Amino acid sequence: MNWKSDFYSQSAQYALLVTILLAPVGCSQSNGLERYSVSGEVRYDGKPAPLGEIMFLPDRDAANPGPGSIVEYRDGKFNLQDKGVIGGAYRLRITGYDGIPVRMESGVDPGGRQIFPPYEMTYEFPKEDTTLVIDIPQRKSR
C-alpha cells in the first residue's frame, strides 16, 4: 500500500465525513463564505516532516459551517491558498511519511514509510490569512 492509499484507508471515515460536510456547502468561492489562506510547517522530532497531508475539517460541534480542505506538505512546508479556511474551529488530521521510495509488489511507493501515526488536533483560525506551525509530538516508547 502506498503512502497516499495508506492515508486514505486509515481515514476512510474522515473521507466520508469530508464528503458529507462538503456536499451542502460546495467547494467553490461562490458559496458566499470568504476563505483565508493557511501556510506553515509540520515538524516532527523538532525537524520538518518530510512528506504527508493535512485534512482541514470544519468543527461542526463548534457550529463551523465552512468547507473542508486537504493539502499536501513536503519538507515540512504547506500552503493552502485558493481552498483555504473560513475561520473558526477546525479539526486537523496530519499524516507523515519519510519520503524515501519503497519498492512494493505493485511498484514503487514514492512516499515511503509512515513516521508517525495520524495526528489529530483542533485549531481556532482567525478570519484572516494564517501561518501555522504544527509540532507533532513524538510517541512515547512502551
Side-chain angles (χ1 to χ4, degrees), residues 46-128:
K47 298 175 273 205
L51 182 68
E53 289 184 329
I54 307 168
M55 292 179 77
F56 294 81
L57 299 168
D59 189 342
R60 298 296 186 224
D61 293 338
N64 186 337
S69 293
I70 299 175
V71 66
E72 183 176 296
Y73 66 84
R74 290 185 178 276
D75 300 320
K77 304 288 185 202
F78 68 92
N79 194 348
L80 182 65
Q81 289 182 328
D82 298 334
K83 53 182 182 169
V85 300
I86 66 162
Y90 275 78
R91 294 179 182 175
L92 280 61
R93 187 169 202 273
I94 304 103
T95 59
Y97 298 86
D98 64 13
I100 300 169
V102 174
R103 219 171 251 300
M104 304 173 69
E105 288 180 25
S106 59
V108 175
D109 176 2
R113 300 191 189 289
Q114 188 177 47
I115 59 173
F116 56 83
Y119 177 72
E120 296 181 11
M121 61 180 276
T122 57
Y123 191 81
E124 183 79 26
F125 286 96
K127 292 187 180 215
E128 62 186 28

Side-chain angles (χ1 to χ4, degrees), residues 4-54:
K4 284 193 176 189
S5 65
D6 184 42
F7 167 77
Y8 289 111
S9 68
Q10 290 180 3
S11 60
Q13 61 186 337
Y14 288 98
L16 178 60
L17 179 62
V18 168
T19 302
I20 292 168
L21 295 177
L22 290 178
V25 181
C27 295
S28 71
Q29 297 275 344
S30 64
N31 60 14
L33 299 173
E34 186 171 356
R35 293 175 128 187
Y36 302 96
S37 68
V38 180
S39 60
E41 185 175 10
V42 177
R43 296 180 188 159
Y44 179 66
D45 195 20
K47 298 175 273 205
L51 182 68
E53 289 184 329
I54 307 168

